[in-house]
Amino acid sequence: MGYDVSFHPISQSEMDEWYFTPLNWVKLGQEEKVLKLANRYGMEPFYAQKYFDTLRVGADTGEDELFDKSHGFYLAVIQGFFRTYYYTRGSAFSFLAEQKPEYGRYFTPWEQLTPYSFPNPAENRIVENYCSGVYLSSEQVAQLLRNMEENPQVHADLESLWSCGQLAVLKKALTVARKLGCGLLEATEVVEPNPIQPNESESYSNLYHCDRDGIFLYIDTVAQQIKDAMAINDQESK
């Protein structure tokens, strides 16, 4: 699948501190509180403004908009202003759960996560571009890591989707989340790497907080695809 998927270590309390509470500040016109929070975390002015702009979009979200396409996506974006996030091309728990519904035991729905009641409907999975996906709680992160190491079937299931070295990136994201004692949120198109011209890659969040391992794998894959296509063209032209 052609999705740019990212994985964001964030706890439920950090969701509240970084998004839900500041969202109310913006609604109340208390911009100075948002800037103080950004300064406390050492956020550069450029990204502090992007952070505020993201919250402002969230504050204007209508009640009928899909939670995954609005607040869930914005949560993934704002996480990247505060700490590292991780990238894999086309691989997501949302897609794994479509193939193997039993993996739903590792996910926590939004209605159990948000500190306030939101009328927005939620799918709790990636449904299209620019969308949040599933959320694994800290306990579910730890459980999945244990099962990856102890259960060959779980490892094989994950490796079938996170192929060509990408499973190492996913495991890195899970391991960091476990070390931080937080959960892991997936989303799509928070970051959009350009494998041909990497310097033209884009992110709704802080591009420099995106771990490079998954991006390098994507670049290598595209380079090999181009090489293979050129070789086929050379053969056909003879």
Side-chain angles (χ1 to χ4, degrees):
M1 295 183 180
Y3 286 97
D4 291 312
V5 183
S6 49
F7 298 89
H8 304 258
I10 186 170
S11 68
Q12 191 171 352
S13 62
E14 288 167 340
M15 290 183 187
D16 189 16
E17 180 189 2
W18 297 346
Y19 184 73
F20 293 116
T21 294
L23 191 67
N24 281 333
W25 293 341
V26 172
K27 290 178 180 179
L28 295 171
Q30 299 172 339
E31 299 179 13
E32 70 283 355
K33 290 187 177 181
V34 176
L35 296 178
K36 285 181 180 178
L37 177 63
N39 289 335
R40 189 163 76 244
Y41 278 90
M43 202 178 295
E44 296 177 12
F46 174 77
Y47 293 109
Q49 184 61 50
K50 285 188 71 174
Y51 174 43
F52 176 75
D53 290 343
T54 303
L55 290 168
R56 188 162 52 189
V57 173
D60 290 336
T61 296
E63 294 184 353
D64 59 338
E65 295 185 49
L66 195 65
F67 191 97
D68 320 76
K69 289 280 294 176
S70 56
H71 299 298
F73 179 73
Y74 307 146
L75 269 165
V77 170
I78 63 96
Q79 181 276 345
F81 294 127
F82 290 89
R83 69 162 59 106
T84 302
Y85 56 101
Y86 302 83
Y87 171 86
T88 64
R89 174 69 175 178
S91 304
F93 290 111
S94 293
F95 310 147
L96 178 63
E98 290 177 3
Q99 303 170 13
K100 297 178 179 290
E102 62 268 25
Y103 279 87
R105 68 184 184 274
Y106 295 107
F107 314 142
T108 301
W110 283 117
E111 56 264 27
Q112 296 180 25
L113 295 170
T114 58
Y116 313 107
S117 177
F118 283 86
N120 307 76
E123 294 288 342
N124 291 293
R125 62 185 177 88
I126 292 171
V127 293
E128 56 183 284
N129 300 92
Y130 309 101
C131 181
S132 65
V134 307
Y135 179 76
L136 290 76
S137 69
S138 58
E139 294 80 10
Q140 290 164 328
V141 164
Q143 180 186 8
L144 182 58
L145 277 169
R146 283 196 304 271
N147 292 346
M148 284 177 65
E149 296 166 356
E150 300 171 1
N151 188 325
Q153 186 59 57
V154 171
H155 189 279
D157 288 345
L158 294 174
E159 193 169 40
S160 68
L161 195 60
W162 282 272
S163 57
C164 301
Q166 292 196 105
L167 185 58
V169 178
L170 176 65
K171 188 173 183 179
K172 186 178 183 180
L174 289 164
T175 301
V176 168
R178 180 174 63 180
K179 183 178 180 180
L180 292 170
C182 65
L184 193 69
L185 172 64
E186 71 179 4
T188 177
E189 273 69 52
V190 170
V191 59
E192 298 176 291
N194 186 324
I196 307 300
Q197 296 178 297
N199 289 336
E200 295 185 7
S201 299
E202 298 180 352
S203 175
Y204 282 90
S205 189
N206 186 335
L207 178 63
Y208 298 102
H209 281 178
C210 183
D211 181 79
R212 297 293 188 266
D213 289 355
I215 293 177
F216 289 150
L217 286 172
Y218 181 31
I219 291 171
D220 290 345
T221 298
V222 172
Q224 185 61 51
Q225 290 172 344
I226 292 173
K227 183 178 178 181
D228 293 344
M230 292 177 65
I232 292 172
N233 289 337
D234 288 343
Q235 289 293 328
E236 292 177 346
S237 62
K238 290 182 181 179

